[in-house]
Amino acid sequence: VATQGSGTRVAQRPSGDVATAARQRTEHPPRYDLRPGSPDLSAFPRSAWLSAARRALNKAPYEAFGYSDPRGRPELRAALAAYLARARGVRCDPERIVICSGFAQTFRLLCDVLTRQGARSLALEQFVEPTTDAVSAASELNVRRLPVDEAGAVTGQLSDEDAVVLTAAHQFAIGVPLARHRRAEALVWAHDTGGLIIEDDYDGEFRYDRHPVGALQSLAPEHVVYAGTASKSLAPGLRLGWMVPPAHLLEDIVTAKTVADRNSSAIDQLTLTEVIASGGYDRHVRRARISYRRRRDQLIATLRQRAPEAEISGIAAGLHALVTLPAGLEEHTMVERAGARGLAVTGLRKFAAPADLPSPALLVGYATPPPHAFTGAVARLCAALDG
Amino acid sequence: VATQGSGTRVAQRPSGDVATAARQRTEHPPRYDLRPGSPDLSAFPRSAWLSAARRALNKAPYEAFGYSDPRGRPELRAALAAYLARARGVRCDPERIVICSGFAQTFRLLCDVLTRQGARSLALEQFVEPTTDAVSAASELNVRRLPVDEAGAVTGQLSDEDAVVLTAAHQFAIGVPLARHRRAEALVWAHDTGGLIIEDDYDGEFRYDRHPVGALQSLAPEHVVYAGTASKSLAPGLRLGWMVPPAHLLEDIVTAKTVADRNSSAIDQLTLTEVIASGGYDRHVRRARISYRRRRDQLIATLRQRAPEAEISGIAAGLHALVTLPAGLEEHTMVERAGARGLAVTGLRKFAAPADLPSPALLVGYATPPPHAFTGAVARLCAALDG
């Protein structure tokens, strides 16, 4: 029996904003772009992808073109299980992987399952990717924000929430990994309360200064959903992500996926399988890591020289740096000044909880521009910081 | 503010069934398959698709690999607007098309939008594809079933529902087009009550005996959401569908798509654009139509000869025929007998509303088997009918 008259719904504020932003990004791409959240799209390995598509189309059984296992193609789940164990230390079995359309869908399905199981509240970090905010705002879950400091999310403040989303390898805005004691506190919370940890490992492949931080999931696979994506390692346009949920959630997630869209695109899945199996995925990530580290170094060197009063942090990993603005410079002023120079930048406040007013800063996505536009983008950033 | 304590949720019966069925279909494909709902997957135009992917990857702007307009790639929306106007008489503008992951997602997004706008009930036809049933059961909408007769859904029985799903070109199980007076009744209902018609045009391309039945949407584009798919014309594994909603629903649908999965796979969208633009889509549909008409004729001829007591109907269009079982033969007996011969078939009851007990019949999907297995499948069907 359907629930009737359940009263006022969640306001849709952020979702509409996110949809509008995505549309504008397509219709009016800026000349220079240092917004965070995107790899260098001009580096997408088109010919490697096409060769992999040829191999995939040649060898696919014809059943692959039909309605398929809602968890995703078995070929891709097998390739990912091996890759995730090796590259991210994830403990998983191909039977327990669910392929989704990016992290957005992974998180949406988890919100659906949690709500259906009676969950009422969810904790997000103080700073999150706007789509994460939009998806949770569109759910019926009450959202609490966990403060974030130089050790990552303050997991000691978790209490009776049903789930928490943690960017454990690299806090989305601040750029720090979740410290060892914070990991321990999150795991104790999950163990004691039955709360679910959703590990958003959006850019775990990109760590520059030391060994990768392994997945939190490996410590407690029955309390953590590991969520990965090809959006940063290859391209968001692929809309391919994956999750490794605890066994007790698998059936409900499969049902949620089925009533969301049955399964994800078969040809993309089979092509990604070939890209991983041929070593092309590792090669691309390695090349991208070298390129982004160089860009990061160039960004730091240029800012230190031309805008020494701007503080840079969160640089050990990921695709963006946090640049704290010089005293007296507001984010919106900086966004306007950059815009006047053809450069799109994003202030930290866009990623903060509505009531939160962090110190004025930019999240500088140094991976975003194509190579020919990178130096020009950084020069315009410095010029805008200068006034 | 999120709604709390909204009580018991919709039972998940059908969703779980659909997920299990999809998984079994992948893990244990039957030797012979005459279940409905699939085109001949062995005829998927792999080399045309690969050539189109090459052209698409060569010419795509790099922005195409990023997060993109939630409505879908502008190239595909332009190609589809022209195609749908020409082939199905749909009145549309590329700005108003939304690309989805198949009809399942189209319908899911519409259920989300309707619920959020305060809708409480939905009418489905007496016989529907099980995923449609599962998606609506997982929503908070109350579902009513409209009887179906030889003129299609009895739209005169529509009353205070907020929306109705109509397979107007070809009723899913019975195989008849919605008669002219039934179309008129549906449109009057929509006009008078503000109810929304969701036109599920799942196989509108496949009509054998006369000109295609044009889309209902063309008569009242502000009351009808036209929903099409590549699942029957090309392959379900592509997960590509599209909808043309009334203008007043567009923004909410775009928001729902954004919080579902942001946008659909870019490479598949750009490849389909090339397939349509090169004429490959029309050629494939034409070839498939000829092949399916031959199969249909062979099925009819063979059944008339070897099982004259089985009645065949719904044969003027689509990818399946309704075969009424001889008196005394129950569906489950027939499914078992066929199974013992390595043939998978589906009884009509699987598509009926839970309380409904239609006369024992099979929905024979004559498009499903690859060519080499078709004659054998029909022979096994006849043998199973014989006992």
Side-chain angles (χ1 to χ4, degrees), chain A residues 323-353:
Chain A
V323 176
T324 307
L325 297 181
L329 181 52
E330 290 298 323
E331 282 181 14
H332 67 93
T333 313
M334 182 63 197
V335 170
E336 280 161 26
R337 279 193 202 165
R341 290 171 168 84
L343 171 68
V345 292
T346 316
L348 175 60
R349 206 160 291 173
K350 193 180 162 196
F351 307 98

Side-chain angles (χ1 to χ4, degrees), chain B residues 29 31 50 57 66 93 96 99 109 123 144 150 166 194 218 223 358:
Chain B
R31 180 126 184 250
L50 186 65
L57 282 162
D93 164 337
R96 213 201 273 181
I99 309 296
L109 298 182
R144 258 201 72 197
E150 64 291 339
L166 294 175
S218 67
H223 295 286

Side-chain angles (χ1 to χ4, degrees), chain A residues 2-4 6 8-9 12 26 46 57 60 62 65 69 108 112 116 131 138 140 142 237 262 265-266 268 370, chain B residues 2-4 6 8-9 12 26 46 57 60 62 65 69 108 112 116 131 138 140 142 237 262 265-266 268 370:
Chain A
T3 305
Q4 293 295 335
S6 54
T8 322
R9 289 318 193 97
Q12 283 199 336
T26 310
R46 300 185 191 208
L57 283 162
Y62 66 77
F65 299 102
D69 190 320
R108 169 58 183 272
D112 287 353
R116 198 165 276 278
T131 304
E140 293 176 12
N142 273 319
R262 299 183 70 145
S265 160
D268 288 343
Chain B
T3 305
Q4 293 295 336
S6 52
T8 321
R9 291 314 194 97
Q12 283 200 336
T26 309
R46 299 185 191 208
L57 282 162
Y62 66 77
F65 299 102
D69 190 321
R108 169 58 184 270
D112 286 352
R116 197 165 278 278
T131 304
E140 292 177 13
N142 274 318
R262 301 184 68 146
S265 159
D268 288 343

Side-chain angles (χ1 to χ4, degrees), chain B residues 137-365:
Chain B
S139 80
E140 292 177 13
L141 298 166
N142 274 318
V143 177
R144 258 201 72 197
R145 296 290 194 124
L146 276 188
V148 161
D149 62 23
E150 64 291 339
V154 185
T155 49
Q157 291 192 16
L158 284 167
S159 61
D160 63 348
E161 295 85 1
D162 296 287
V164 61
V165 180
L166 294 175
T167 52
H170 182 232
Q171 204 291 318
F172 178 72
I174 302 300
V176 295
L178 191 63
R180 189 182 299 263
H181 67 284
R182 295 282 171 79
R183 292 176 171 244
E185 282 172 327
L187 294 173
V188 167
W189 165 82
H191 187 267
D192 289 352
T193 67
L196 181 71
I197 298 174
I198 300 168
E199 179 174 20
D200 176 9
D201 196 40
Y202 64 109
D203 65 359
E205 280 95 349
F206 297 101
R207 176 125 221 122
Y208 307 116
D209 299 342
R210 54 184 175 98
H211 285 299
V213 178
L216 188 55
Q217 186 266 3
S218 67
L219 303 174
E222 292 311 318
H223 295 286
V224 180
V225 181
Y226 174 83
T229 175
S231 294
K232 307 298 179 277
S233 55
L234 278 169
L238 294 176
R239 307 312 301 127
L240 282 174
W242 38 86
M243 66 170 135
V244 187
H248 71 275
L249 287 178
L250 184 63
E251 279 310 310
D252 282 358
I253 290 169
V254 167
T255 299
K257 173 70 180 169
T258 303
V259 297
D261 60 3
R262 301 184 68 146
N263 46 254
S264 292
S265 159
I267 297 179
D268 288 343
Q269 289 188 64
L270 295 171
T271 303
L272 180 59
T273 307
E274 292 295 324
V275 170
I276 295 173
S278 65
Y281 191 81
D282 283 322
R283 272 193 301 278
H284 179 72
V285 167
R286 212 177 307 127
R287 260 198 310 265
R289 200 188 289 126
I290 292 169
S291 151
Y292 299 156
R293 185 168 49 200
R294 279 205 199 107
R295 290 180 179 207
R296 179 200 68 157
D297 294 345
Q298 184 182 336
L299 174 73
I300 296 169
T302 312
L303 280 175
R304 287 210 176 126
Q305 194 187 350
R306 295 203 36 201
E309 65 294 2
E311 242 179 74
I312 315 169
S313 58
I315 53 178
L319 310 183
H320 58 257
L322 183 68
V323 176
T324 307
L325 297 182
L329 181 52
E330 290 298 324
E331 282 181 15
H332 67 93
T333 314
M334 182 61 196
V335 170
E336 279 161 26
R337 280 192 201 165
R341 289 170 169 86
L343 171 69
V345 293
T346 315
L348 175 60
R349 206 160 293 172
K350 193 181 162 194
F351 307 98
D356 198 21
L357 288 176
S359 305
L362 299 182
L363 242 62
V364 176

Side-chain angles (χ1 to χ4, degrees), chain A residues 248-269:
Chain A
H248 70 276
L249 288 178
L250 184 62
E251 279 310 310
D252 282 359
I253 290 168
V254 166
T255 299
K257 173 69 180 169
T258 303
V259 297
D261 60 3
R262 299 183 70 145
N263 44 254
S264 291
S265 160
I267 297 179
D268 288 343
Q269 288 187 65

